[in-house]
Amino acid sequence: MSSTPRDMSTYTPMMQQFLEIKAQYPHTLLLYRMGDFYETFFEDAQIAARELEITLTSRDGGGGQRVDMAGVPHHALEAYLPKLIGRGYKVAVCEQMEPPQGGGKLVRREVVRVITPGTLLEGAMLHEKKPNYLGAVYRFREGFGLAYVDISTGDFRMTEMRGENAADMLVRELAGLELAELVLPCEDPWQAKAVQLTEWADIVPDPALVSWEHQSAFEARSAEERLKKHFGVVSLESFGAQHSPLGIAAAGGILHYLAQTQMSALKQIQRLQSYQISQFMLLDKTTRRNLELTSTYRESSYEGSLLWVLDQTRTAMGGRLLRDWMTHPLLAAQAIESRLNAVEELFADALLREEIRDALDGIRDMERLAARVATQSANPRDLKSLAVSVTRLPQIANLLGHTRSALFEPLRHTDDTLQDLGHHILQALVDSPPPKIQEGGIFADGFQAELDELRQLIRGGKDWIKDLEQTERERTGVKSLKVGFNKTFGYYIEVTHANRDEVPEDYVRKQTLTNAERYITPGLKEKEAAVLNADEQIKKLEYQLYVQLRDSVLPFVPVLQQLSLAVAQLDALASLAEVAVQQHYVRPVIVDAPRLNLINSRHPVIEKTLHRGRFVPNDAQLVAQQAHLMILTGPNMSGKSSYMRQIGLITLMAQMGSFVPAEHAEIGICDRIFTRVGAVDDIATGQSTFMVEMMETSNILHHASVRSLVLLDEIGRGTSTFDGVSIAWSVSEYLAQQIACRTIFATHYHELNRLAEKMPGIMNYQVSVQENSDGIVFLHKVVPGGADRSYGIEVARLAGLPGAVLERAKDLLQDIEKRSRIQSGLLKKARQQATAEDEVQQLSFFE
């Protein structure tokens, strides 16, 4: 195996060129264009051969040295790139910048783009309904600036966080964004330490996502100038960013990184959106995981998530926006009501909703198509899709003409100039355009006179050649004679060896085969030259015409991006309305007070997986600082966890602007939803189940406010009974007295039922079961009152434990309960005899 050399002097000029370029991009796989192939050499070739499962070969590198080599066809690059990028590699694409000169002269080559996980443009490498964000973070003292961009759409946002909770806010925001790549500043990007050894260790969600950039790229003044230059403005005030220096530093760092990797003008990035964390409900990583918003916890499956239920969007951009709404629920009542108004209007008018969704069905991903136009990477099929999408907008404008929602306003009117351009593109292109722009076949007949003349010349030449076969058969008397064509030898007349004596004198031998000879005639050669010359002229002309057509769309990119957002919004709203109709959801009443009142509410995901009518609905009433903490008891498998998730999901759905599964829903806006439902060992950090449980609980107690919703399941179960009861009791007291937020506390510790007697605001509820001679039946109904049994042995029976084990467990349970009664009697007697008040409190605490 060859390794990258230190001394280049012994290598051929081409190998020296490769090594010089590689030295500029040491942390990438360099794909070096050689004719029709992208080749890799040295260690890069070894990696490419292994990861792409292609042949590792070698070539003479000069000085008698063999150099490892592996390559892929240039036209198949998009098929191979996902494998490399998906496995964490960055790829530098090095192109030939001039045609081969001959005479052994070295072709000039340059890297035209570095492809990283966060800088993907290729449609085949992108999830159509998920953004592909490149993020950057800048740190100054206790504050952080965050920026992120999806260059496949031009979506560019920034914010900043300050204060003692800034790091926690940043961690939560990064978890929700699901970045493809994260750029961080450092002193020397080439010698950067592992993330785990830096100040970023507790902030970065996944060290594998990190790319390093020199810290000078984040310097505040240069970052601001870089942004102003890119957007062509004298101030960032129009973006609302002028008072966010940390966010500006992060955004400037991203632009610098993109300039180094994309080497283009980034015309798809037309604006910078500044936002505040306080605009959205805060959802930490644990809550996102437990509520299974975009994927299930155990299988990481889309099916079974809340997004799976709500996403019936007809466009890719609508799907991306709906995901964004779900992961960033709103806090402003006016904004929530605006979405609910729009959903209600579509919910109430079945015909309008159906017609709008049908019209949306033919609209392609305008957002990403416009970005490809801006980056000059749009192919003829992209342009056709964009034109088809644009010409559908008048139909949507007509449908929305009499609607009331302000959110529909951007689509109620159409741009005539844009419509004219769309129709022009459709008239120009053939019905099924090719994916490449160098091979011709792009434009329809009648689009351009010179192109038509060249095509007619080819058709005439080909007709002459087609007739030539019959003419020559008659002239020579050889019935098996045929006229053919291949790329290497061009047109030819083929005669079998058995008939070669019949070949006329004007036939010139061109190629010998095993069973035949191939010839050319002066007339055929002349026609061949005319046809091939015309074909080459057509390809050049169509290329020029296509570039002109594509460039004519460039001025419309900002308008197309605005329309894309409006279409995405309409699609997301129509999807929510459609789901609401299908699943019998109701519009929630949004109130300012921290309260929750649900009548016959249902779990949106479980309900969809069951047959209609099988899900058991339940009520929930929680009012902060009044009846705000529910102690929920009942056996395992009875539905306590599902009930809690149900309350959390309904609250989140309401604040994203969705109707909810209930007969009636009155919801006070939540600033945060906290969940602690189940726990597992964190092997990576050496933390036990109980430690994870306590850390999650600690996070809740430190950050919950009176406007929060807290959902806790089985606090204290990871340790001994007395320790666990003590912790669960103390946590419940703290939530009830110190925070007074809306809380559901599910537990098997029946001792906690006494809390309702000791302090106001606490209610006892249980999930009811029905006992019969065969065991228990889960009714899944939440009713007032506390359970006095856990039914653990009955659940074990349902799980299939051997009968002998179950019988022994029953005997042991009876013995333990008997001992407990005796101990309880002794405690009661001791309490009666005790005189000191502190002794009385100590003995009666859990009684």
Side-chain angles (χ1 to χ4, degrees), residues 163-188:
E164 59 181 0
N165 294 324
D168 291 332
M169 288 189 287
L170 176 61
V171 168
R172 287 192 296 271
E173 190 69 358
L174 290 176
L177 291 174
E178 299 181 282
L179 298 175
E181 186 179 359
L182 177 61
V183 181
L184 298 175
C186 70
E187 293 182 2
D188 184 356

Side-chain angles (χ1 to χ4, degrees), residues 2-19:
S2 60
S3 60
T4 304
R6 295 183 180 180
D7 179 14
M8 297 193 299
S9 62
T10 61
Y11 284 85
T12 64
M14 191 182 75
M15 281 293 96
Q16 290 181 26
Q17 183 188 61
F18 171 85
L19 292 168

Side-chain angles (χ1 to χ4, degrees), residues 612-633:
R612 185 176 296 278
R614 288 190 59 191
F615 187 87
V616 179
N618 278 295
D619 300 343
Q621 288 83 34
L622 298 170
V623 182
Q625 298 178 319
Q626 298 178 34
H628 59 274
L629 194 151
M630 177 192 296
I631 300 294
L632 181 62
T633 50

Side-chain angles (χ1 to χ4, degrees), residues 552-579:
S552 70
V553 185
L554 270 175
F556 293 91
V557 167
V559 175
L560 288 168
Q561 290 181 328
Q562 292 170 12
L563 287 171
S564 298
L565 180 58
V567 170
Q569 185 169 248
L570 175 63
D571 193 13
L573 293 166
S575 176
L576 292 176
E578 181 69 18
V579 173

